[in-house]
């Protein structure tokens, strides 16, 4: 069952989402060769709590940390550790926050120093596919319209679309209906309704779509050991159209990146 949110609830969710956005922006300022993911995780936990929220992932289903940090061939759900990041790595940082009874949950894949051109392209195409999918999140469309758009865009570049892991509805629970796969056929799946909020999150592999899981019970890797990319936004359906609750603007500010990619999904400009 899809849980529709009121305008007031959507604004509370925006607040939670923006705490995650600011956390990822803080991480963007700190992430570099030689830094450990465990160090970044502790910074994130303190930052989230300092902003009046609780880390959304910590303890959820038994997960031991506040961030999922998944470098290189890790797709998602990587556990922070004391291994230093290295020049040329890429890493998905997935973060959640709970405030006012609602969750924010989104992710960004960072480049560590200079990365290989083919890896940079993977990240670029995956992020572009996120917005391609978001454009299909509108009244009159169905769940698999989003997945089909993401799949077509990324497979056209020869990439593999992970099947076992999907986006999801978001609200007072981290994972609500509907599941939001990154593949599918147009016209299939649940019909989108006004007031629903989803996390759309392409997980795209440079090579095979197939994955495997480490013995830690969490970490997901590509089956062929090639890199993976992961980007995620929280999106509400408002007046029949997609409206971003999350933003990458804090990341871009930290990294000195100019971008207007989110403008079409905002009714009012974001004030940092």
């Amino acid at each position: 069952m899809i849980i529709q949110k009121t305008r007031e609830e959507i604004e509370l969710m925006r607040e939670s989402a923006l705490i995650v956005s600011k956390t990822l922006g803080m991480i963007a300022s700190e992430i570099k060769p030689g830094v450990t993911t465990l160090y970044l995780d502790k910074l994130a936990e303190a930052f989230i709590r300092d902003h009046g929220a609780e880390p959304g992932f910590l303890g959820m289903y038994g997960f031991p940390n506040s961030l999922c940090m998944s470098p290189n061939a890790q797709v998602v759900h990587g556990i922070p550790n004391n291994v230093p990041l290295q020049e040329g790595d890429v890493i998905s940082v997935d973060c959640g926050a709970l405030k006012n009874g609602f969750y924010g949950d989104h992710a960004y894949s960072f480049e560590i120093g200079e990365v290989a051109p083919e890896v940079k392209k993977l990240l670029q195409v995956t992020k572009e596919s996120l917005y391609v999918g978001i454009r299909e999140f509108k009244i009159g469309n169905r769940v698999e319209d989003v997945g089909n758009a993401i799949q077509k865009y990324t497979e056209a570049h020869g990439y593999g679309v992970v099947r076992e892991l999907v986006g999801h509805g978001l609200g007072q629970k981290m994972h609500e209906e509907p599941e939001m796969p990154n593949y599918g056929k147009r016209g299939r799946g649940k019909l989108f309704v006004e007031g629903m909020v989803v996390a759309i999150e392409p997980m795209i592999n440079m090579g095979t779509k197939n994955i495997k899981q480490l013995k830690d019970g969490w970490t997901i890797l590509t089956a062929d050991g090639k890199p993976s990319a992961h980007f995620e936004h929280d999106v509400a359906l408002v007046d029949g159209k997609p409206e971003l609750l999350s933003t990458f603007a804090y990341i871009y500010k930290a990294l000195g990146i100019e971008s207007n990619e989110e403008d079409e999904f905002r009714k009012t400009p974001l004030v940092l």
Side-chain angles (χ1 to χ4, degrees), residues 66-252:
S66 297
L67 298 177
C68 294
M69 306 198 74
S70 312
N72 303 320
Q74 293 184 19
V75 182
V76 287
H77 301 164
I79 299 174
N81 57 40
N82 280 313
V83 179
L85 294 170
Q86 297 184 18
E87 181 86 13
D89 285 346
V90 292
I91 185 167
S92 159
V93 182
D94 196 351
C95 179
L98 175 64
K99 186 173 184 181
N100 298 321
F102 288 94
Y103 283 95
D105 166 31
H106 52 282
Y108 191 89
S109 289
F110 291 91
E111 301 173 16
I112 310 300
E114 287 296 317
V115 305
E118 62 270 22
V119 178
K120 189 182 285 283
K121 183 184 177 186
L122 170 68
L123 267 60
Q124 177 187 339
V125 170
T126 301
K127 181 154 67 72
E128 289 169 355
S129 80
L130 170 60
Y131 297 106
V132 167
I134 290 171
R135 289 188 190 102
E136 298 298 320
F137 181 56
K138 57 188 178 182
I139 291 294
N141 278 4
R142 294 178 179 270
V143 163
E144 291 192 28
D145 293 331
V146 172
N148 177 264
I150 292 169
Q151 180 182 11
K152 285 176 67 175
Y153 192 82
T154 53
E155 287 184 348
H157 290 83
Y159 299 142
V161 181
V162 174
R163 300 298 201 272
E164 295 88 344
L165 302 157
V166 296
H168 50 90
L170 188 69
Q172 291 182 308
K173 293 183 178 179
M174 178 72 76
H175 299 109
E176 294 184 354
E177 291 286 323
E179 291 191 342
M180 296 290 296
N182 298 304
Y183 62 95
K185 293 187 177 180
R186 291 201 67 86
R188 292 205 315 198
K190 293 188 176 182
L191 194 64
F192 295 138
V193 293
E194 180 75 11
M196 66 187 295
V197 180
V198 297
I200 298 174
E201 51 178 320
M203 289 159 272
I204 308 299
N205 301 339
M206 183 177 285
T208 180
K209 68 180 186 295
N210 297 325
I211 58 172
K212 58 185 179 180
Q213 188 173 42
L214 287 184
K215 291 180 181 177
D216 63 19
W218 284 103
T219 308
I220 303 293
L221 297 123
T222 59
D224 58 8
K226 292 182 179 179
S228 184
H230 174 216
F231 291 87
E232 179 180 15
H233 266 314
D234 300 340
V235 195
L237 197 52
V238 179
D239 295 330
K241 298 177 182 178
E243 183 172 331
L244 283 182
L245 303 183
S246 53
T247 182
F248 295 151
Y250 295 98
I251 295 170
Y252 294 157

